[in-house]
Each structure stands twice: as structure tokens, then as C-alpha cells.
């Protein structure tokens, strides 16, 4: 039976690790997005539970790591430092360099009705430009600031 769940047995217990479709594959190495999201949400200024990590490639092939998060309204002035902290903490704890780190307005990350992060929908919204971006770091383009969108 193929469910798409990732799991393992240890000491006669079954542990569910995540979903195959959510894995982030970078340079042939698999990363669990929830591990990256947990690291990012520890940064001051990030709304807990409002982070999505995913691959730039939505086919399940090798891609780049992208992280999108809601920034608290009282931390917008420090958004560049928050983004830098997420990059550095991800490198330090996970051992991977995010290619893209994007701060969006509070209460705009896409979730299910039960409050789960919708990674695919957030990737789609980020790539088609429908997220309200406050600030974006993209190693392919350099940093781009878009603070105007927060105040409109």
C-alpha cells in the first residue's frame, strides 16, 4: 500500500516522518521541510507556525531551498536582519543554504482549514507573484526590497 507517507520502525513502533511529496531535495540530499520550518520560526520576528519550506522544483526532482514566512508587524523595520538570521540559522542547524527567503505580511500564508501549512499552494503563490511580499532575498537575483507593499 503506497500512501506517500515516510516512516520507519524502531523498537516495534512505527514513526511517521512526513510526506514524500513534501521532501526538499537539494544536491541529492533529502531534507524534511518541517525541520527547516522549525529552525526558521525560532528567529525573533517570525510568526510561529507561519513558515513554509519547499523546493523550487515542484516535480520532486533536485531543486533549491525556498523559505517563506510571515513577519510580525512589529518586526518589519528589522526584516533584513530577520531574513539574514533565517539564512544563517538554516546553514548552522540544517547545513543547507536557502536560495530564497521571503517575508510576507502577517496572516497571509496559505493554510488548510485545520491550520496546516499548504506548501504546494504557497510555492505556487510565491512563483506566480500572488503573495504580498514585504522583503525577499534571492541568491540568484540578489536582495530585493518591497517594503511598500506592507504599508498599502
Amino acid at each position: 500500500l503506497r500512501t506517500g507517507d515516510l516512516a520507519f520502525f524502531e523498537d516495534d513502533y512505527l514513526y511517521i516522518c512526513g510526506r514524500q511529496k513534501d521532501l526538499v531535495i537539494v544536491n541529492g540530499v533529502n531534507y524534511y521541510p518541517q525541520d527547516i520550518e522549525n529552525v526558521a520560526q525560532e528567529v525573533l520576528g517570525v510568526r510561529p507556525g507561519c513558515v513554509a519550506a519547499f523546493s523550487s522544483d515542484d516535480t520532486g526532482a533536485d531543486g533549491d531551498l525556498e523559505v517563506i514566512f510571515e513577519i510580525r508587524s512589529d518586526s518589519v523595520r528589522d526584516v533584513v536582519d530577520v531574513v539574514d538570521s533565517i539564512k544563517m540559522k538554516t546553514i548552522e542547524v540544517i547545513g543547507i543554504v536557502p536560495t530564497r527567503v521571503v517575508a510576507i505580511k502577517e496572516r497571509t500564508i496559505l493554510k488548510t482549514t485545520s491550520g496546516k501549512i499548504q506548501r504546494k499552494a504557497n510555492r505556487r503563490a510565491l512563483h506566480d507573484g500572488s503573495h504580498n511580499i514585504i522583503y525577499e532575498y534571492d541568491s540568484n537575483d540578489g536582495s530585493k526590497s518591497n517594503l511598500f507593499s506592507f504599508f498599502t
Side-chain angles (χ1 to χ4, degrees):
L1 179 66
R2 293 197 175 264
T3 63
D5 291 312
L6 297 172
F8 66 93
F9 277 106
E10 184 176 302
D11 297 328
D12 294 328
Y13 287 96
L14 176 66
Y15 294 92
I16 306 294
C17 305
R19 307 271 304 157
Q20 178 72 35
K21 68 180 182 179
D22 288 337
L23 271 182
V24 177
I25 304 170
V26 179
N27 296 326
V29 179
N30 296 343
Y31 298 92
Y32 295 107
Q34 58 271 28
D35 292 343
I36 299 163
E37 293 160 358
N38 287 335
V39 166
Q41 73 183 4
E42 292 175 6
V43 173
L44 190 64
V46 176
R47 285 194 69 222
C50 298
V51 180
F54 41 79
S55 174
S56 59
D57 182 274
D58 63 355
T59 65
D62 213 341
D64 295 321
L65 173 61
E66 298 180 338
V67 179
I68 187 168
F69 69 96
E70 289 183 9
I71 189 158
R72 293 183 180 277
S73 57
D74 60 356
S75 298
V76 170
R77 290 185 187 356
D78 302 319
V79 68
V80 176
D81 293 333
V82 173
V83 167
D84 286 342
S85 294
I86 290 172
K87 286 188 315 187
M88 297 311 297
K89 196 160 179 105
T90 304
I91 293 167
E92 178 184 315
V93 176
I94 305 294
I96 183 174
V97 180
T99 302
R100 195 170 180 195
V101 181
V102 181
I104 60 174
K105 193 173 181 177
E106 273 187 301
R107 305 195 189 288
T108 59
I109 200 156
L110 302 173
K111 295 183 177 185
T112 65
T113 55
S114 62
K116 295 179 185 174
I117 295 291
Q118 293 181 309
R119 293 184 186 97
K120 277 191 172 186
N122 279 293
R123 179 194 303 115
R124 194 175 321 112
L126 180 60
H127 290 188
D128 70 17
S130 59
H131 263 307
N132 190 358
I133 295 173
I134 295 173
Y135 181 82
E136 175 179 358
Y137 166 80
D138 186 337
S139 66
N140 295 323
D141 291 338
S143 294
K144 297 187 270 186
S145 178
N146 191 17
L147 290 173
F148 174 75
S149 66
F150 177 75
F151 299 105
T152 57

